[in-house]
Amino acid sequence: MGDRRRARELALQALFFFDMDKSDSDQSLEIFCASNEEKLTQGVAPFFLDLVKGVKEKGSQIDALLNKYSKNWKITRMPVVDRNIMRIAIFEFLKCSDIPCSVTINEAVEIGKKYGTRDSGSFINGVLDRIKSLEGF
């Protein structure tokens, strides 16, 4: 597994932790990082931090896109794993121009299959593809 995949998976875990803890403070991020210190290698940590901090900073914009393009699903009703995988991917659409959208979607789908439900892959793919196509990424 590559460093970017590891960073995405750890970012998912951190965002899940923030959702469950009802906190996304810097202290919560420090606690998460301290408990995953061995996984946050030099190759993983910078991209991980970019993803987590970026999703936190752009949260309103990201969630607005999710709400707009997820048919019949309010963001609050989405499975926490799926929601956070898509938040990471949308942040990549917005701020990581060096990563092709097709790669971002593929990574999100694969992570969804690994950590989500049986239907996560197709749900994530559908929403992200709609966002990519209709927002012109």
Side-chain angles (χ1 to χ4, degrees):
M1 177 184 327
D3 286 344
R4 282 194 170 177
R5 170 67 69 91
R6 282 191 182 98
R8 287 180 181 103
E9 288 185 4
L10 283 169
L12 168 62
Q13 292 170 18
L15 294 170
F16 185 91
F17 172 71
F18 300 155
D19 271 359
M20 294 297 100
D21 194 40
K22 304 288 187 222
S23 170
D24 65 355
S25 68
D26 289 337
Q27 183 179 11
S28 294
L29 180 56
E30 288 175 21
I31 291 168
F32 181 85
C33 289
S35 66
N36 289 280
E37 190 173 349
E38 71 285 347
K39 296 176 187 172
L40 289 168
T41 63
Q42 286 182 325
V44 172
F47 190 52
F48 162 79
L49 290 171
D50 285 347
L51 294 175
V52 172
K53 290 179 179 181
V55 168
K56 284 173 50 177
E57 289 171 9
K58 299 287 183 189
S60 298
Q61 182 181 7
I62 291 168
D63 285 355
L65 287 168
L66 265 178
N67 274 324
K68 183 176 180 181
Y69 292 105
S70 56
K71 295 180 180 178
N72 303 317
W73 280 92
K74 291 186 183 218
I75 198 164
T76 55
R77 287 190 51 236
M78 290 178 190
V80 177
V81 170
D82 295 358
R83 177 175 62 223
N84 283 307
I85 290 170
M86 290 187 288
R87 284 174 171 163
I88 293 166
I90 294 167
F91 173 74
E92 287 186 32
F93 289 168
L94 294 169
K95 295 296 178 184
C96 301
S97 59
D98 62 318
I99 303 172
C101 291
S102 59
V103 171
T104 295
I105 292 172
N106 185 58
E107 287 288 303
V109 168
E110 291 304 314
I111 292 169
K113 288 177 181 177
K114 182 175 179 178
Y115 292 101
T117 66
R118 174 178 77 212
D119 298 324
S120 290
S122 59
F123 177 64
I124 290 167
N125 185 61
V127 174
L128 293 178
D129 189 55
R130 227 177 350 268
I131 291 170
K132 176 188 75 95
S133 299
L134 299 174
E135 289 293 321
F137 290 109

